[in-house]
Amino acid sequence: MIAVVGLVLAGCAGTAPAPTPVVDTGGVAASRLSEHVRILSADGFQGREPGTDGERLTLEYLEAQYEAMGLEPGGPDGQWLQPVTLTRYTPVAGASLRAAMDNGITVNLTGAAQAAVVRATYGDGRASFAQAPVVFAGYGISAPDRGWDDYAGTDVSGAVVIVLSGEPQDDRFNGDYPSLYALDVYKTEEAHRRGALAVLTLLPFQAGSADWTELLGYVARPSVQVVGVENIEASGYIAMDPIIGWIQSNDGDPEQWFEEAGGGSFRARRLDGVTMSLEASETVETIQTYNLLARMPGTERPNETIIVSAHWDHVGVADAPDADGDAIYNGAWDNASGTAGVLELARVLHAQGPRARSIVFAHMAAEEMGLLGSYFYAEHPVWPLETTVADINIDMLPLSPPTRDIAIFGYGQTTLEDDLARLAEPEGRVVTDDGRPDEGFYYRSDHFPFALAGVPALMAWHGVDWDEGGRAAGEPAYRAQWSTYYHQRADAWSAELDWRSAVENLTLLEALIGDLADGRQWPGWKPGSEFAAARAATDAARQ
């Protein structure tokens, strides 16, 4: 049975606070940022989880702010809201992934030994196939722009594909910073495009190890998908134990295969003598949520659009209170601060008067569920993506003293960073990478679905080179802030929050957005970017 978790936009208890009077203060105001965050992260908003009364209050508040500014709705059919329909999948116990060998032995990989875990997170939540061939595809990467194709000459239609996690340590990739090709979502989509039934990511763990056990708990959690986006029938993870034996039974040396896979000489090959059969199911429920969009129409080229985005949602309420009696994940930093930043940019830019191009201020739903509001927008754009100039995304404003550096996600990807650097230089500031290659940040916020669609996308992050104290002061302060507040109940508003770096960054973004909105330039992807081909496919629309 499908349960429907709906958002009711009227008739619920509670009323969003009235909008703050709009006064042109001449620039980004720390006091306004603080007030927006105070309201949006209040306990009454219940952690802003999609499909809850906290969502209703959030959207009412945002709409009231834009109406007070005098902006127009930017959603479909002249509405403020873009409906986003999601499906939540929760695994049903008893999934069975069986491997049959030609010697007559059959092993239940999801049984007592638990050497694999698999999910059926698509459509009706059922996955079923019998005696599918098994293909080991190296890293599962097909990247013509890198001269790399693990699938060359191999048909994987109707097969279970096994791929190594991550990406090769080869100079054709991005070094310390992962590329798109390292992501599970990329590998799943690539295998799906080639007709595979399922993808299993091979991890360097033994079944029963502490790392493997931790993974099993993580994968068992509910997952959420955008309705209507096709996906592979099943996906999951497999431990090293069975793979070693299967490679050896194919007269292969596992270490040699893995070494070749890391150097680009390996090609996907079928594991003869092995087939897999799967029975798995999930309970399914529908979540109705909404993006909210406000628009400043351009006066000369209104069909050319700059998107300024931030996600409004957070992770809601815990199942039980902590030792201090707190159960609410207020999400002041993540991402009431980014939401406030978009509101403040809208106020300042609108007060400056009309622009040649249109600007859309987009508040995305369900980022914490997997960037799903942005993925939905990219699949169902209100304003054509081929004439979308750029996405400027804001997720977690820097809360620190002023900094000399303005860090960005995806350093080296797009010419937007050069535009930002040009504006930062007179202020004595420099654009840098985010300093956290281990986090893969460029693929973890709402700019990423825009980038996948080819739209140049930039997200400014936290600088750590403080004007006073330098990196010696800024780096440990940032690390402490991250560990204390990121996705923690302690992430709540305080009158003591330091907005100076946020104002600095937003002022630069204001200038960047203004230049883009008044100009004729089309930002692009830098040579070697994995997103360049998607943009090039729509070049004719921008002539």
Side-chain angles (χ1 to χ4, degrees), residues 93-118:
S96 173
L97 178 66
R98 295 182 177 272
M101 276 67 75
D102 59 4
N103 61 7
I105 296 175
T106 298
V107 178
N108 183 2
L109 297 170
T110 52
Q114 193 73 59
V117 58
V118 65

Side-chain angles (χ1 to χ4, degrees), residues 67-107:
E67 287 179 337
M69 291 179 206
L71 272 72
E72 66 179 43
D77 303 318
Q79 303 298 310
W80 292 103
L81 301 181
Q82 179 186 34
V84 176
T85 306
L86 308 174
T87 304
R88 178 187 285 130
Y89 296 91
T90 303
V92 175
S96 173
L97 178 66
R98 295 182 177 272
M101 276 67 75
D102 59 4
N103 61 7
I105 296 175
T106 298
V107 178

Side-chain angles (χ1 to χ4, degrees), residues 460-529:
W461 187 236
H462 286 242
V464 295
D465 187 4
W466 288 4
D467 287 1
E468 297 183 8
R471 284 183 167 274
E475 178 72 25
Y478 163 73
R479 296 278 181 169
Q481 182 179 342
W482 179 265
S483 62
T484 302
Y485 298 109
Y486 178 66
H487 282 198
Q488 302 297 319
R489 298 175 217 197
D491 182 12
W493 176 86
S494 164
E496 305 306 313
L497 292 175
D498 190 337
W499 296 98
R500 288 177 291 170
S501 184
V503 170
E504 276 191 325
N505 278 12
L506 288 171
T507 301
L508 281 176
L509 294 180
E510 171 205 333
L512 175 61
I513 295 162
D515 283 357
L516 294 172
D518 282 334
R520 291 184 174 273
Q521 72 273 34
W522 292 96
W525 297 100
K526 293 191 172 186
S529 171

Side-chain angles (χ1 to χ4, degrees), residues 226-257:
V226 174
V227 168
V229 176
E230 289 191 3
N231 209 329
I232 205 159
E233 188 166 347
S235 62
Y237 298 89
I238 189 165
M240 275 287 175
D241 312 48
I243 303 301
I244 298 299
W246 295 343
I247 292 175
Q248 290 171 337
S249 70
N250 277 259
D251 297 323
D253 178 345
E255 289 189 11
Q256 181 181 348
W257 281 29

Side-chain angles (χ1 to χ4, degrees), residues 393-415:
N393 187 52
I394 306 173
D395 196 343
M396 302 165 66
L397 285 172
L399 302 176
S400 77
T403 66
R404 301 182 187 96
D405 55 338
I406 177 168
I408 64 168
F409 292 171
Y411 186 80
Q413 286 279 10
T414 169
T415 61

